[in-house]
Amino acid sequence: MAAQHPYTEHLDIRHSLAWFRLKQALLRLKRALDVKEPFDFVTYVGKAPILLIGEGNLSFSASLLRRSGHSGRQIIATTFEPETTWTRPTVDNARHLRRQGALVRGAVDATRLKEHVRGKTFELIVFQFPNVGSRVPRYGRNPNHILVRHFLRSAGQHLEETGQIVITTVNSSYYDGAFDMDGAAEASGFEKPVAHPFHFPEYPGYAHVNTLNDESAVDGETEFVTLVFKPKRHYK
């Protein structure tokens, strides 16, 4: 096999270094906000069917319902954990939601919604801070990217004609690179998501916890973003 010419080899090295520097620069960029105002979750409560996925301790659903002042009859709040493993705070939040008319379910897989909600459709489907708790690559990609991509495909089958999906996550270069929300949207038939800021103080009592443990992926973080996904068919 012929040896590579030194000049050609030098160009390859320069190209590799340039690509590496560009990649590092891109990773330093956080998600730029498209809208200054937070996404208005509250406006949907009591007016349209809402599905909340991966709710952990159910504190976001409970806080959202309290803040809205409406009944929860059009809300379905779910956790990945089976009900038999719920913590005391989760049980208390579930009790509050059920008293207000909401349907609460455990053991719901965000990527297999058809098995859990049957033929129901929703105006809003919410997934707050999805995180599989692992960095082991799947199919050569970060597992959180795979989770979001599969979730969007599953949730897209249960949207009303004007429905949308919202995902909230940490606004950092690491999370933006790991989740690759734009890539997940493109692969799942959605437009590029629109970014809104998210502020925890607007939801009193909301305390995020990871799936399968009581830790939180948001500890130490200060900036969060809600991404709004709409199927491409809405623009045809």
Side-chain angles (χ1 to χ4, degrees), residues 26-43:
L26 291 173
L27 287 176
R28 285 194 294 270
L29 295 175
K30 293 185 291 186
R31 168 72 60 165
L33 296 177
D34 300 302
V35 183
K36 293 182 179 179
E37 295 76 23
F39 180 78
D40 189 3
F41 292 92
V42 176
T43 192

Side-chain angles (χ1 to χ4, degrees), residues 4 11 23 30 37 39 49 58 82 96 163 179 198 209 213 225:
Q4 186 174 9
L11 286 179
K23 187 175 181 180
K30 293 185 291 186
E37 295 76 23
F39 180 78
L58 295 167
H96 168 72
F179 281 87
F198 180 84
V209 294
N213 63 50
V225 61

Side-chain angles (χ1 to χ4, degrees), residues 6 18 28 33 46-47 54 56 77 83 90-91 109 115-116 155 159 162 181 184 195 198 211 213 220 230:
R28 285 194 294 270
L33 296 177
K47 300 177 182 179
E83 191 165 349
T90 308
V91 171
D109 185 337
E115 299 176 4
H116 307 286
L159 282 180
T162 58
M181 296 291 192
F198 180 84
T211 298
N213 63 50
K230 294 183 179 181

Side-chain angles (χ1 to χ4, degrees), residues 174-194:
Y174 169 75
Y175 278 82
D176 207 26
F179 281 87
D180 182 16
M181 296 291 192
D182 292 351
E186 178 63 28
S188 307
F190 288 81
E191 291 290 328
K192 180 180 177 180
V194 175

Side-chain angles (χ1 to χ4, degrees), residues 28 38 68 101 129:
R28 285 194 294 270
S68 74
F129 299 96

